[in-house]
PDB file of all heavy atoms in Angstrom:
ATOM      1  N   ALA W   1     137.232 139.826 226.867  1.00  0.00           N
ATOM      2  CA  ALA W   1     137.188 138.419 226.468  1.00  0.00           C
ATOM      3  C   ALA W   1     136.909 138.245 225.012  1.00  0.00           C
ATOM      4  O   ALA W   1     136.346 139.182 224.380  1.00  0.00           O
ATOM      5  CB  ALA W   1     136.130 137.625 227.269  1.00  0.00           C
ATOM      6  N   THR W   2     137.370 137.224 224.384  1.00  0.00           N
ATOM      7  CA  THR W   2     137.086 136.941 223.031  1.00  0.00           C
ATOM      8  C   THR W   2     136.716 135.443 222.807  1.00  0.00           C
ATOM      9  O   THR W   2     137.107 134.612 223.663  1.00  0.00           O
ATOM     10  CB  THR W   2     138.299 137.205 222.058  1.00  0.00           C
ATOM     11  OG1 THR W   2     139.459 136.384 222.525  1.00  0.00           O
ATOM     12  CG2 THR W   2     138.733 138.687 222.210  1.00  0.00           C
ATOM     13  N   LEU W   3     135.987 135.213 221.755  1.00  0.00           N
ATOM     14  CA  LEU W   3     135.567 133.826 221.468  1.00  0.00           C
ATOM     15  C   LEU W   3     135.621 133.698 219.939  1.00  0.00           C
ATOM     16  O   LEU W   3     134.867 134.228 219.253  1.00  0.00           O
ATOM     17  CB  LEU W   3     134.156 133.529 221.958  1.00  0.00           C
ATOM     18  CG  LEU W   3     133.649 132.166 221.868  1.00  0.00           C
ATOM     19  CD1 LEU W   3     134.442 131.216 222.810  1.00  0.00           C
ATOM     20  CD2 LEU W   3     132.179 132.056 222.224  1.00  0.00           C
ATOM     21  N   HIS W   4     136.609 132.810 219.496  1.00  0.00           N
ATOM     22  CA  HIS W   4     136.745 132.548 218.067  1.00  0.00           C
ATOM     23  C   HIS W   4     136.150 131.156 217.740  1.00  0.00           C
ATOM     24  O   HIS W   4     136.540 130.178 218.415  1.00  0.00           O
ATOM     25  CB  HIS W   4     138.195 132.553 217.645  1.00  0.00           C
ATOM     26  CG  HIS W   4     138.760 133.993 217.588  1.00  0.00           C
ATOM     27  ND1 HIS W   4     138.923 134.732 218.734  1.00  0.00           N
ATOM     28  CD2 HIS W   4     139.160 134.699 216.555  1.00  0.00           C
ATOM     29  CE1 HIS W   4     139.447 135.944 218.421  1.00  0.00           C
ATOM     30  NE2 HIS W   4     139.644 135.896 217.093  1.00  0.00           N
ATOM     31  N   VAL W   5     135.240 131.119 216.769  1.00  0.00           N
ATOM     32  CA  VAL W   5     134.579 129.831 216.367  1.00  0.00           C
ATOM     33  C   VAL W   5     134.827 129.573 214.919  1.00  0.00           C
ATOM     34  O   VAL W   5     134.601 130.498 214.074  1.00  0.00           O
ATOM     35  CB  VAL W   5     133.127 129.878 216.646  1.00  0.00           C
ATOM     36  CG1 VAL W   5     132.413 128.583 216.176  1.00  0.00           C
ATOM     37  CG2 VAL W   5     132.788 130.151 218.098  1.00  0.00           C
ATOM     38  N   LEU W   6     135.425 128.455 214.544  1.00  0.00           N
ATOM     39  CA  LEU W   6     135.748 128.132 213.173  1.00  0.00           C
ATOM     40  C   LEU W   6     134.496 127.425 212.495  1.00  0.00           C
ATOM     41  O   LEU W   6     133.831 126.619 213.076  1.00  0.00           O
ATOM     42  CB  LEU W   6     136.986 127.281 213.158  1.00  0.00           C
ATOM     43  CG  LEU W   6     138.220 127.871 213.602  1.00  0.00           C
ATOM     44  CD1 LEU W   6     139.404 126.820 213.442  1.00  0.00           C
ATOM     45  CD2 LEU W   6     138.616 129.187 212.921  1.00  0.00           C
ATOM     46  N   GLY W   7     134.361 127.770 211.241  1.00  0.00           N
ATOM     47  CA  GLY W   7     133.451 127.046 210.388  1.00  0.00           C
ATOM     48  C   GLY W   7     134.157 125.967 209.519  1.00  0.00           C
ATOM     49  O   GLY W   7     135.178 125.421 209.927  1.00  0.00           O
ATOM     50  N   ASP W   8     133.722 125.917 208.269  1.00  0.00           N
ATOM     51  CA  ASP W   8     134.321 124.899 207.331  1.00  0.00           C
ATOM     52  C   ASP W   8     135.622 125.353 206.917  1.00  0.00           C
ATOM     53  O   ASP W   8     135.983 126.499 206.770  1.00  0.00           O
ATOM     54  CB  ASP W   8     133.403 124.690 206.116  1.00  0.00           C
ATOM     55  CG  ASP W   8     132.094 124.073 206.398  1.00  0.00           C
ATOM     56  OD1 ASP W   8     132.025 123.297 207.489  1.00  0.00           O
ATOM     57  OD2 ASP W   8     131.107 124.331 205.779  1.00  0.00           O
ATOM     58  N   SER W   9     136.511 124.280 206.627  1.00  0.00           N
ATOM     59  CA  SER W   9     137.801 124.617 206.003  1.00  0.00           C
ATOM     60  C   SER W   9     137.800 123.868 204.644  1.00  0.00           C
ATOM     61  O   SER W   9     137.415 122.642 204.563  1.00  0.00           O
ATOM     62  CB  SER W   9     138.950 124.025 206.876  1.00  0.00           C
ATOM     63  OG  SER W   9     139.141 124.714 208.043  1.00  0.00           O
ATOM     64  N   LEU W  10     138.238 124.534 203.611  1.00  0.00           N
ATOM     65  CA  LEU W  10     138.297 123.979 202.234  1.00  0.00           C
ATOM     66  C   LEU W  10     139.814 123.920 201.906  1.00  0.00           C
ATOM     67  O   LEU W  10     140.471 124.902 201.966  1.00  0.00           O
ATOM     68  CB  LEU W  10     137.555 124.853 201.257  1.00  0.00           C
ATOM     69  CG  LEU W  10     137.488 124.344 199.827  1.00  0.00           C
ATOM     70  CD1 LEU W  10     136.778 123.119 199.701  1.00  0.00           C
ATOM     71  CD2 LEU W  10     136.843 125.452 198.878  1.00  0.00           C
ATOM     72  N   PHE W  11     140.246 122.734 201.537  1.00  0.00           N
ATOM     73  CA  PHE W  11     141.628 122.457 201.208  1.00  0.00           C
ATOM     74  C   PHE W  11     141.847 122.319 199.767  1.00  0.00           C
ATOM     75  O   PHE W  11     141.241 121.537 199.053  1.00  0.00           O
ATOM     76  CB  PHE W  11     142.072 121.134 201.852  1.00  0.00           C
ATOM     77  CG  PHE W  11     142.103 121.175 203.405  1.00  0.00           C
ATOM     78  CD1 PHE W  11     140.920 121.081 204.131  1.00  0.00           C
ATOM     79  CD2 PHE W  11     143.343 121.338 204.127  1.00  0.00           C
ATOM     80  CE1 PHE W  11     140.908 121.035 205.517  1.00  0.00           C
ATOM     81  CE2 PHE W  11     143.311 121.305 205.487  1.00  0.00           C
ATOM     82  CZ  PHE W  11     142.134 121.197 206.184  1.00  0.00           C
ATOM     83  N   ASP W  12     142.796 123.194 199.216  1.00  0.00           N
ATOM     84  CA  ASP W  12     143.277 123.047 197.875  1.00  0.00           C
ATOM     85  C   ASP W  12     144.717 122.673 197.947  1.00  0.00           C
ATOM     86  O   ASP W  12     145.574 123.493 198.306  1.00  0.00           O
ATOM     87  CB  ASP W  12     143.084 124.343 197.068  1.00  0.00           C
ATOM     88  CG  ASP W  12     141.596 124.659 196.805  1.00  0.00           C
ATOM     89  OD1 ASP W  12     140.860 123.680 196.449  1.00  0.00           O
ATOM     90  OD2 ASP W  12     141.142 125.771 196.890  1.00  0.00           O
ATOM     91  N   TRP W  13     145.094 121.484 197.564  1.00  0.00           N
ATOM     92  CA  TRP W  13     146.431 120.927 197.720  1.00  0.00           C
ATOM     93  C   TRP W  13     147.337 121.413 196.583  1.00  0.00           C
ATOM     94  O   TRP W  13     146.906 121.247 195.406  1.00  0.00           O
ATOM     95  CB  TRP W  13     146.466 119.431 197.768  1.00  0.00           C
ATOM     96  CG  TRP W  13     145.863 119.003 199.094  1.00  0.00           C
ATOM     97  CD1 TRP W  13     144.562 118.696 199.404  1.00  0.00           C
ATOM     98  CD2 TRP W  13     146.607 118.886 200.273  1.00  0.00           C
ATOM     99  NE1 TRP W  13     144.446 118.340 200.721  1.00  0.00           N
ATOM    100  CE2 TRP W  13     145.660 118.476 201.333  1.00  0.00           C
ATOM    101  CE3 TRP W  13     147.929 119.040 200.694  1.00  0.00           C
ATOM    102  CZ2 TRP W  13     146.074 118.308 202.681  1.00  0.00           C
ATOM    103  CZ3 TRP W  13     148.332 118.785 202.015  1.00  0.00           C
ATOM    104  CH2 TRP W  13     147.388 118.510 203.002  1.00  0.00           C
ATOM    105  N   VAL W  14     148.475 122.007 196.886  1.00  0.00           N
ATOM    106  CA  VAL W  14     149.414 122.483 195.890  1.00  0.00           C
ATOM    107  C   VAL W  14     150.288 121.282 195.513  1.00  0.00           C
ATOM    108  O   VAL W  14     150.629 120.987 194.406  1.00  0.00           O
ATOM    109  CB  VAL W  14     150.233 123.611 196.429  1.00  0.00           C
ATOM    110  CG1 VAL W  14     151.357 123.954 195.440  1.00  0.00           C
ATOM    111  CG2 VAL W  14     149.382 124.829 196.843  1.00  0.00           C
ATOM    112  N   ASP W  15     150.772 120.577 196.610  1.00  0.00           N
ATOM    113  CA  ASP W  15     151.557 119.322 196.447  1.00  0.00           C
ATOM    114  C   ASP W  15     151.473 118.655 197.749  1.00  0.00           C
ATOM    115  O   ASP W  15     150.664 119.006 198.673  1.00  0.00           O
ATOM    116  CB  ASP W  15     153.019 119.569 195.972  1.00  0.00           C
ATOM    117  CG  ASP W  15     153.723 120.532 196.921  1.00  0.00           C
ATOM    118  OD1 ASP W  15     153.557 120.482 198.106  1.00  0.00           O
ATOM    119  OD2 ASP W  15     154.468 121.362 196.432  1.00  0.00           O
ATOM    120  N   ASP W  16     152.283 117.578 197.956  1.00  0.00           N
ATOM    121  CA  ASP W  16     152.191 116.835 199.211  1.00  0.00           C
ATOM    122  C   ASP W  16     152.471 117.617 200.445  1.00  0.00           C
ATOM    123  O   ASP W  16     152.160 117.219 201.578  1.00  0.00           O
ATOM    124  CB  ASP W  16     153.066 115.547 199.079  1.00  0.00           C
ATOM    125  CG  ASP W  16     152.475 114.553 198.170  1.00  0.00           C
ATOM    126  OD1 ASP W  16     151.265 114.586 197.857  1.00  0.00           O
ATOM    127  OD2 ASP W  16     153.225 113.660 197.739  1.00  0.00           O
ATOM    128  N   ASP W  17     153.278 118.676 200.260  1.00  0.00           N
ATOM    129  CA  ASP W  17     153.771 119.430 201.439  1.00  0.00           C
ATOM    130  C   ASP W  17     153.291 120.871 201.458  1.00  0.00           C
ATOM    131  O   ASP W  17     153.867 121.731 202.153  1.00  0.00           O
ATOM    132  CB  ASP W  17     155.332 119.479 201.425  1.00  0.00           C
ATOM    133  CG  ASP W  17     155.886 118.056 201.709  1.00  0.00           C
ATOM    134  OD1 ASP W  17     155.325 117.365 202.542  1.00  0.00           O
ATOM    135  OD2 ASP W  17     156.794 117.669 200.879  1.00  0.00           O
ATOM    136  N   ALA W  18     152.259 121.193 200.736  1.00  0.00           N
ATOM    137  CA  ALA W  18     151.685 122.523 200.781  1.00  0.00           C
ATOM    138  C   ALA W  18     150.238 122.545 200.341  1.00  0.00           C
ATOM    139  O   ALA W  18     149.803 121.808 199.502  1.00  0.00           O
ATOM    140  CB  ALA W  18     152.426 123.460 199.796  1.00  0.00           C
ATOM    141  N   ALA W  19     149.448 123.345 201.076  1.00  0.00           N
ATOM    142  CA  ALA W  19     147.968 123.403 200.792  1.00  0.00           C
ATOM    143  C   ALA W  19     147.523 124.836 201.037  1.00  0.00           C
ATOM    144  O   ALA W  19     148.023 125.558 201.990  1.00  0.00           O
ATOM    145  CB  ALA W  19     147.244 122.464 201.695  1.00  0.00           C
ATOM    146  N   GLU W  20     146.644 125.372 200.186  1.00  0.00           N
ATOM    147  CA  GLU W  20     145.904 126.580 200.445  1.00  0.00           C
ATOM    148  C   GLU W  20     144.621 126.231 201.072  1.00  0.00           C
ATOM    149  O   GLU W  20     143.809 125.517 200.521  1.00  0.00           O
ATOM    150  CB  GLU W  20     145.789 127.331 199.089  1.00  0.00           C
ATOM    151  CG  GLU W  20     147.104 127.711 198.553  1.00  0.00           C
ATOM    152  CD  GLU W  20     146.998 128.563 197.266  1.00  0.00           C
ATOM    153  OE1 GLU W  20     145.847 128.767 196.758  1.00  0.00           O
ATOM    154  OE2 GLU W  20     148.067 129.182 196.834  1.00  0.00           O
ATOM    155  N   VAL W  21     144.351 126.839 202.245  1.00  0.00           N
ATOM    156  CA  VAL W  21     143.213 126.514 203.060  1.00  0.00           C
ATOM    157  C   VAL W  21     142.448 127.800 203.376  1.00  0.00           C
ATOM    158  O   VAL W  21     142.913 128.697 203.856  1.00  0.00           O
ATOM    159  CB  VAL W  21     143.667 125.835 204.416  1.00  0.00           C
ATOM    160  CG1 VAL W  21     142.479 125.358 205.253  1.00  0.00           C
ATOM    161  CG2 VAL W  21     144.636 124.647 204.057  1.00  0.00           C
ATOM    162  N   GLU W  22     141.118 127.695 203.043  1.00  0.00           N
ATOM    163  CA  GLU W  22     140.175 128.726 203.346  1.00  0.00           C
ATOM    164  C   GLU W  22     139.265 128.245 204.516  1.00  0.00           C
ATOM    165  O   GLU W  22     138.663 127.302 204.436  1.00  0.00           O
ATOM    166  CB  GLU W  22     139.266 129.083 202.084  1.00  0.00           C
ATOM    167  CG  GLU W  22     138.244 130.130 202.374  1.00  0.00           C
ATOM    168  CD  GLU W  22     137.211 130.294 201.188  1.00  0.00           C
ATOM    169  OE1 GLU W  22     136.589 129.324 200.908  1.00  0.00           O
ATOM    170  OE2 GLU W  22     137.186 131.354 200.647  1.00  0.00           O
ATOM    171  N   THR W  23     139.282 129.097 205.549  1.00  0.00           N
ATOM    172  CA  THR W  23     138.474 128.686 206.779  1.00  0.00           C
ATOM    173  C   THR W  23     137.545 129.797 207.159  1.00  0.00           C
ATOM    174  O   THR W  23     138.079 131.027 207.360  1.00  0.00           O
ATOM    175  CB  THR W  23     139.436 128.311 207.927  1.00  0.00           C
ATOM    176  OG1 THR W  23     140.271 127.255 207.546  1.00  0.00           O
ATOM    177  CG2 THR W  23     138.596 127.878 209.150  1.00  0.00           C
ATOM    178  N   TYR W  24     136.336 129.534 207.392  1.00  0.00           N
ATOM    179  CA  TYR W  24     135.356 130.546 207.858  1.00  0.00           C
ATOM    180  C   TYR W  24     135.523 130.732 209.345  1.00  0.00           C
ATOM    181  O   TYR W  24     135.703 129.773 210.126  1.00  0.00           O
ATOM    182  CB  TYR W  24     133.897 130.145 207.547  1.00  0.00           C
ATOM    183  CG  TYR W  24     133.535 130.315 206.062  1.00  0.00           C
ATOM    184  CD1 TYR W  24     134.080 129.437 205.110  1.00  0.00           C
ATOM    185  CD2 TYR W  24     132.803 131.382 205.710  1.00  0.00           C
ATOM    186  CE1 TYR W  24     133.717 129.618 203.784  1.00  0.00           C
ATOM    187  CE2 TYR W  24     132.445 131.576 204.376  1.00  0.00           C
ATOM    188  CZ  TYR W  24     132.945 130.617 203.443  1.00  0.00           C
ATOM    189  OH  TYR W  24     132.660 130.839 202.039  1.00  0.00           O
ATOM    190  N   VAL W  25     135.362 132.005 209.860  1.00  0.00           N
ATOM    191  CA  VAL W  25     135.527 132.278 211.258  1.00  0.00           C
ATOM    192  C   VAL W  25     134.518 133.270 211.728  1.00  0.00           C
ATOM    193  O   VAL W  25     134.179 134.217 211.021  1.00  0.00           O
ATOM    194  CB  VAL W  25     136.926 132.775 211.561  1.00  0.00           C
ATOM    195  CG1 VAL W  25     137.268 134.087 210.798  1.00  0.00           C
ATOM    196  CG2 VAL W  25     137.157 133.047 213.060  1.00  0.00           C
ATOM    197  N   LEU W  26     133.978 133.054 212.879  1.00  0.00           N
ATOM    198  CA  LEU W  26     133.157 134.028 213.590  1.00  0.00           C
ATOM    199  C   LEU W  26     133.858 134.405 214.926  1.00  0.00           C
ATOM    200  O   LEU W  26     134.143 133.427 215.696  1.00  0.00           O
ATOM    201  CB  LEU W  26     131.699 133.431 213.909  1.00  0.00           C
ATOM    202  CG  LEU W  26     130.845 133.263 212.703  1.00  0.00           C
ATOM    203  CD1 LEU W  26     129.507 132.509 213.116  1.00  0.00           C
ATOM    204  CD2 LEU W  26     130.525 134.527 211.916  1.00  0.00           C
ATOM    205  N   ALA W  27     134.134 135.623 215.162  1.00  0.00           N
ATOM    206  CA  ALA W  27     134.863 136.051 216.327  1.00  0.00           C
ATOM    207  C   ALA W  27     133.983 137.020 217.082  1.00  0.00           C
ATOM    208  O   ALA W  27     133.390 138.043 216.525  1.00  0.00           O
ATOM    209  CB  ALA W  27     136.178 136.565 215.999  1.00  0.00           C
ATOM    210  N   GLN W  28     133.900 136.915 218.437  1.00  0.00           N
ATOM    211  CA  GLN W  28     133.187 137.817 219.248  1.00  0.00           C
ATOM    212  C   GLN W  28     134.157 138.449 220.303  1.00  0.00           C
ATOM    213  O   GLN W  28     134.911 137.697 220.958  1.00  0.00           O
ATOM    214  CB  GLN W  28     131.995 137.162 219.974  1.00  0.00           C
ATOM    215  CG  GLN W  28     130.985 136.608 218.910  1.00  0.00           C
ATOM    216  CD  GLN W  28     129.787 135.978 219.677  1.00  0.00           C
ATOM    217  OE1 GLN W  28     128.988 136.776 220.170  1.00  0.00           O
ATOM    218  NE2 GLN W  28     129.688 134.690 219.648  1.00  0.00           N
ATOM    219  N   HIS W  29     134.095 139.776 220.466  1.00  0.00           N
ATOM    220  CA  HIS W  29     134.970 140.451 221.367  1.00  0.00           C
ATOM    221  C   HIS W  29     134.253 141.238 222.431  1.00  0.00           C
ATOM    222  O   HIS W  29     133.431 142.154 222.029  1.00  0.00           O
ATOM    223  CB  HIS W  29     135.876 141.464 220.552  1.00  0.00           C
ATOM    224  CG  HIS W  29     136.590 140.815 219.412  1.00  0.00           C
ATOM    225  ND1 HIS W  29     135.882 140.436 218.230  1.00  0.00           N
ATOM    226  CD2 HIS W  29     137.967 140.512 219.170  1.00  0.00           C
ATOM    227  CE1 HIS W  29     136.808 139.881 217.392  1.00  0.00           C
ATOM    228  NE2 HIS W  29     138.021 140.017 217.942  1.00  0.00           N
ATOM    229  N   ARG W  30     134.248 140.844 223.628  1.00  0.00           N
ATOM    230  CA  ARG W  30     133.491 141.451 224.679  1.00  0.00           C
ATOM    231  C   ARG W  30     134.207 142.602 225.402  1.00  0.00           C
ATOM    232  O   ARG W  30     135.301 142.490 225.683  1.00  0.00           O
ATOM    233  CB  ARG W  30     133.127 140.390 225.752  1.00  0.00           C
ATOM    234  CG  ARG W  30     132.056 140.844 226.689  1.00  0.00           C
ATOM    235  CD  ARG W  30     131.921 139.890 227.936  1.00  0.00           C
ATOM    236  NE  ARG W  30     132.933 140.197 228.943  1.00  0.00           N
ATOM    237  CZ  ARG W  30     133.504 139.277 229.738  1.00  0.00           C
ATOM    238  NH1 ARG W  30     133.319 138.024 229.478  1.00  0.00           N
ATOM    239  NH2 ARG W  30     134.338 139.645 230.657  1.00  0.00           N
ATOM    240  N   ILE W  31     133.410 143.672 225.539  1.00  0.00           N
ATOM    241  CA  ILE W  31     133.841 144.864 226.256  1.00  0.00           C
ATOM    242  C   ILE W  31     132.923 145.088 227.475  1.00  0.00           C
ATOM    243  O   ILE W  31     131.791 145.100 227.289  1.00  0.00           O
ATOM    244  CB  ILE W  31     133.852 146.126 225.343  1.00  0.00           C
ATOM    245  CG1 ILE W  31     134.749 145.821 224.140  1.00  0.00           C
ATOM    246  CG2 ILE W  31     134.329 147.323 226.088  1.00  0.00           C
ATOM    247  CD1 ILE W  31     134.626 146.898 223.075  1.00  0.00           C
TER     248      ILE W  31
END
């Protein structure tokens, strides 16, 4: 099983149709 949890996303807009987005993630993988 896995569980992905997202944190904040920071948007840097290139133009109206493009954005560079940095998103924090914590993922847990069960064995």
Side-chain angles (χ1 to χ4, degrees):
T2 60
L3 187 67
H4 287 67
V5 179
L6 297 181
D8 295 332
S9 292
L10 183 63
F11 293 79
D12 290 320
W13 288 92
V14 178
D15 55 40
D16 288 343
D17 295 313
E20 294 185 352
V21 185
E22 177 189 61
T23 304
Y24 284 75
V25 59
L26 293 174
Q28 300 184 72
H29 308 70
R30 194 190 82 217
I31 302 171

